[in-house]
Amino acid sequence: MMHFKNGFRYFGAALFASSILASCGAAAKDKAWPKVRSPISQDAKIESDIDALLARMSIEQKVGQMIQAEIKNISPDDAAKYHIGSILNGGGSWPTDKAEGPLGAWLSMANLFYGASMDEGDDRLAIPIIWGTDAVHGHNNVVGATVFPHNIGLGAANNPNLMRDIGTATAREIAVTGIDWTFAPTVAVAKDIRWGRTYESYSQDSKVVANLGKEIILGLQGHPALENFLSEQKVVVTAKHFIGDGGTIGGDDQGETTLSEMELFKEHGQGYVQALGVGAQTVMASFNTWNGQKIHGHKYLLTDVLKGKMGFDGLVVGDWNGHGQIPGCSDESCPQAINAGIDLIMVPVAWKAFLENTIRQVKAGEIPMERINDAVRRILRVKMRAGMFEDGKPSAHELAGRAKLIGHPDHRAVARQAVRESLVLLKNNSVLPISADSKVMVLGTGSDNPAYQSGGWTVTWQGSDLETRQINPRKYYKGHTTILDGIKSAVQSAGGNVQTSPEGAADVAIVVFGEAPYAEFEGDLSATDMALEADENFQLIQSLKARNIPVVTVFLSGRPRGVDALIDSSDAFVAAWLPGSEGAGVADVLIARDKRKPQNDFKGKLPFDWPASGATQAIAAPIKYNYGYGLTYSK
Ligand code: BGC
Ligand code: BGC
């Protein structure tokens, strides 16, 4: 029986010492990739505890540690029997059949897997299993959780303190469910808005991405210099997807990124420099290729660059069967990925075959034992730094089971602030702000539509059912406030009037619509799809205009779209991105108690260039509004 209880968490002393020891000025290859000194220095006790464990582990136990299976595809008994090191729940995978719960099922499942992993049977060692989840805009797989704006909106807000608050609130909600690890933040720099993951990117500017990524990591993991670092209120983070995910040709998800090494570093590497500099413990490999070679099999980038030159000593996790895309590999077998430097293989379904094949490949010498030992060392190091050997079962953790923290009003207040600050005003012909005592029509497919507000990665992977393609049912959005709800409460409390039918007269109409939810490759656009104009919402705006009713368009989307005709025919146009559960943040800025004195001004600035209609490419030319554009009431 191993004991790791010595009363304190394992983290090193060189706390404030994060420093970057090289620069990226020159174009020479060896000038890229600075050595990043992690503020979490290696701890002698941890390293010797790992040595002791490794000495006792069989090949089967070691390879098992390196496997991450999906909760719907493995039982706690099998996880124990096969010495599995990690589990995940994929997007839209919950511990229950129904998304709605009960909430306690998350913690019960975490307890079951933990209990199985700590049960020392005949051939077993007690090593806590680590559970990862895609909490990418709040703890978004859990019904009732606070859902923050997707990253693109946070890039528009560009407020570092807010990022820390979001990270803190998200970590607390994850901790309630007994989960240890989030696959966030995404530090992709989207270079072509046709990419279906553009909304997971904070900005087209790599400096903004790196800075906001750093700040949310400090909120999620805690500050390395403080007691709260990886405490029971915090979670392990993942900087993803290393590297070049946002740079693929045509914005093709999982496609090819063709760049020089210096460009790759400058455009897509900055997020990792900052993440490692604040102690990010895990990095996820990316699906894309760089100059023709899959990153999952790229030894130079994963091992020589990330672990070597940059000095990363945490673990590299693969993406969902990403190894299976390497030429010569399948989901069931891929020594190349392990040899290239993936430590923990995300093999959601075919984990057993992968495990058996890998054990055979190690025995046959296709994978060197030193590589296995290094991978297991990194996995154990992260688990020990996270206090997993000391913290006991998930339900014994500080915030475990505290259902009131899920969607807590304090967290919702942070999300509502984020919504307010993310709104970008592109046009205003003196129609905004709207006086609260007005007669207001609230119309459009997105006005009372939580699925449109939250987009993909919300309770389900796509924000819709994979088979029927129906958007998620309303019950998945427990506790969410729609944009209509927010406007109603602001206007009605001031004696104004809100109607949701386009009939009759009104002082102003707010028309809310935009993109239907999507995630990953399902959201990729072709050049001809860049525009989004000729639908029923556009007809609605035309008919309101014909009746001399001023129109404020609130556009919900995961990226800019070519909508010139819409902007031209609206009196005001607001880009609201994918704001999440707190739709009332929109009314906070649009509705003024006193017409001359808005309650909140617009703060958001475009995090991406906004294309004109007819733009067909990249950060699309021709441009209608440039990066950084955004009007305010005051100026
Ligand atoms: C995505 C990752 C995600 C993983 C697990 C993959 O398809 O690319 O970002 O973390 O699935 O859901
Ligand atoms: C899962 C996601 C995953 C995706 C990868 C989906 O079925 O729910 O988590 O990212 O598959 O293709």
Side-chain angles (χ1 to χ4, degrees):
M1 181 70 187
M2 296 295 297
H3 284 285
F4 293 94
K5 293 188 197 301
N6 55 358
F8 60 92
R9 273 170 206 291
Y10 301 100
F11 55 91
L15 292 174
F16 275 115
S18 159
S19 66
I20 295 155
L21 305 174
S23 75
C24 59
K29 165 173 166 172
D30 54 1
K31 292 278 182 168
W33 318 117
K35 185 92 187 160
V36 183
R37 172 132 37 104
S38 171
I40 314 305
S41 58
Q42 280 185 17
D43 179 287
K45 173 79 167 65
I46 287 186
E47 300 306 314
S48 70
D49 286 345
I50 296 172
D51 291 338
L53 255 182
L54 279 172
R56 298 175 59 196
M57 290 172 82
S58 63
I59 292 181
E60 288 74 12
Q61 288 169 329
K62 288 176 180 174
V63 176
Q65 258 323 286
M66 296 171 60
I67 303 281
Q68 183 178 63
E70 210 282 331
I71 59 164
K72 291 284 187 205
N73 298 281
I74 191 167
S75 66
D77 283 351
D78 273 353
K81 182 171 169 202
Y82 295 97
H83 320 288
I84 299 302
S86 181
I87 47 172
L88 85 150
N89 66 298
S93 175
W94 328 288
T96 41
D97 292 336
K98 289 183 179 172
E100 310 89 276
L103 176 69
W106 291 92
L107 186 57
S108 307
M109 181 172 270
N111 268 340
L112 285 176
F113 276 102
Y114 172 85
S117 72
M118 295 305 279
D119 177 20
E120 296 210 309
D122 353 303
D123 66 336
R124 298 219 293 267
L125 286 170
I127 301 176
I129 195 166
I130 187 165
W131 180 343
T133 192
D134 292 286
V136 300
H137 62 148
H139 195 9
N140 45 250
N141 284 289
V142 175
V143 171
T146 309
V147 177
F148 295 89
H150 268 300
N151 288 353
I152 192 167
L154 300 181
N158 196 10
N159 177 345
N161 291 329
L162 175 65
M163 297 305 290
R164 273 199 212 195
D165 292 346
I166 293 173
T168 300
T170 302
R172 287 167 66 81
E173 297 202 15
I174 299 171
V176 172
T177 56
I179 296 176
D180 318 283
W181 180 15
T182 176
F183 302 132
T186 301
V187 292
V189 183
K191 289 293 175 188
D192 188 320
I193 59 174
R194 288 173 291 178
W195 189 31
R197 304 191 83 156
T198 300
Y199 66 75
E200 297 184 61
S201 175
Y202 296 115
S203 172
Q204 73 187 41
D205 182 340
S206 62
K207 285 189 290 301
V208 173
V209 169
N211 189 44
L212 297 183
K214 175 187 85 180
E215 294 294 337
I216 199 167
I217 290 171
L218 287 168
L220 286 162
Q221 287 198 352
H223 196 293
L226 300 176
E227 277 286 297
N228 73 3
F229 182 74
L230 288 180
S231 73
E232 291 178 15
Q233 307 211 1
K234 298 295 177 184
V235 291
V236 174
V237 301
T238 309
K240 75 184 187 185
H241 311 79
F242 186 83
I243 183 174
D245 49 354
T248 60
I249 296 167
D252 179 22
D253 190 44
Q254 311 189 4
E256 155 65 12
T257 296
T258 309
L259 288 174
S260 72
E261 185 167 351
M262 187 49 90
E263 288 166 328
L264 184 74
F265 167 65
K266 281 189 172 166
E267 292 300 331
H268 302 282
Q270 302 310 310
Y272 301 94
V273 174
Q274 294 301 322
L276 269 48
V278 292
Q281 289 298 302
T282 85
V283 170
M284 188 183 289
S286 190
F287 281 124
N288 60 279
T289 49
W290 176 49
N291 296 340
Q293 194 185 338
K294 281 283 174 191
I295 304 286
H296 275 71
H298 213 299
K299 184 159 191 276
Y300 174 69
L301 287 174
L302 296 178
T303 299
D304 301 348
V305 166
L306 180 61
K307 296 176 178 177
K309 294 183 184 196
M310 295 179 81
F312 177 60
D313 73 353
L315 72 86
V316 175
V317 61
D319 202 347
W320 187 279
N321 285 329
H323 57 276
Q325 298 187 15
I326 299 170
C329 289
S330 66
D331 291 356
E332 292 80 25
S333 174
C334 192
Q336 293 92 319
I338 296 172
N339 284 333
I342 307 273
D343 302 307
L344 182 63
I345 325 295
M346 190 188 291
V347 51
V349 185
W351 59 269
K352 200 191 272 183
F354 191 93
L355 176 81
E356 285 162 359
N357 286 322
T358 305
I359 292 168
R360 194 173 37 72
Q361 288 150 0
V362 176
K363 289 182 175 164
E366 285 176 61
I367 304 171
M369 204 57 214
E370 307 85 75
R371 177 74 268 276
I372 298 292
N373 285 335
D374 172 60
V376 176
R377 175 176 295 278
R378 289 166 178 276
I379 293 163
L380 295 175
R381 187 183 281 143
V382 171
K383 290 180 175 181
M384 289 183 192
R385 283 175 173 167
M388 292 187 70
F389 283 82
E390 307 136 49
D391 290 347
K393 60 179 176 179
S395 60
H397 298 181
E398 215 179 320
L399 302 181
R402 291 228 232 141
K404 285 199 173 125
L405 291 177
I406 298 289
H408 190 278
D410 292 350
H411 303 170
R412 293 189 185 283
V414 174
R416 185 164 167 172
Q417 176 193 350
V419 175
R420 284 198 292 272
E421 296 188 9
S422 69
L423 303 176
V424 182
L425 181 62
L426 294 180
K427 175 181 180 179
N428 186 18
N429 286 345
S430 309
V431 58
L432 287 174
I434 295 164
S435 179
D437 56 7
S438 313
K439 188 167 183 328
V440 186
M441 285 178 179
V442 182
L443 310 168
T445 43
S447 61
D448 191 31
N449 193 329
Y452 273 57
Q453 266 176 228
S454 286
W457 295 111
T458 313
V459 184
T460 59
W461 178 40
Q462 294 292 329
S464 60
D465 185 286
L466 274 181
E467 271 141 47
T468 66
R469 297 280 149 174
Q470 295 293 307
I471 61 167
N472 289 346
R474 195 108 185 179
K475 64 185 173 191
Y476 287 9
Y477 301 93
K478 194 176 131 206
H480 289 221
T481 305
T482 65
I483 292 172
L484 171 66
D485 295 333
I487 295 169
K488 264 190 185 162
S489 76
V491 169
Q492 287 171 352
S493 63
N497 177 280
V498 171
Q499 71 171 67
T500 55
S501 120
E503 312 305 320
D507 298 320
V508 61
I510 300 175
V511 183
V512 188
F513 65 96
E515 293 184 329
Y518 56 81
E520 300 191 46
F521 43 86
E522 301 269 348
D524 283 358
L525 293 175
S526 67
T528 47
D529 287 337
M530 287 286 294
L532 187 88
E533 300 198 325
D535 71 351
E536 76 264 32
N537 296 290
F538 185 57
Q539 310 304 321
L540 177 63
I541 293 173
Q542 299 298 317
S543 79
L544 292 162
K545 293 300 296 173
R547 285 148 56 206
N548 290 321
I549 300 174
V551 174
V552 175
T553 296
V554 176
F555 192 63
L556 295 172
S557 67
R559 57 193 150 195
R561 296 289 296 255
V563 287
D564 289 7
L566 283 166
I567 296 174
D568 294 346
S569 52
S570 304
D571 298 280
F573 190 94
V574 177
W577 316 109
L578 299 169
S581 58
E582 306 314 305
V586 174
D588 288 347
V589 183
L590 267 52
I591 311 294
R593 291 246 166 69
D594 167 348
K595 176 108 177 140
R596 277 150 304 268
K597 204 170 170 293
Q599 298 184 75
N600 300 279
D601 204 346
F602 282 90
K603 289 194 171 160
K605 304 290 176 205
L606 284 182
F608 287 85
D609 289 332
W610 192 289
S613 292
T616 50
Q617 44 167 299
I619 297 216
I623 291 169
K624 189 156 174 80
Y625 301 106
N626 284 302
Y627 174 89
Y629 185 78
L631 301 169
T632 60
Y633 293 139
S634 51
K635 280 181 223 136

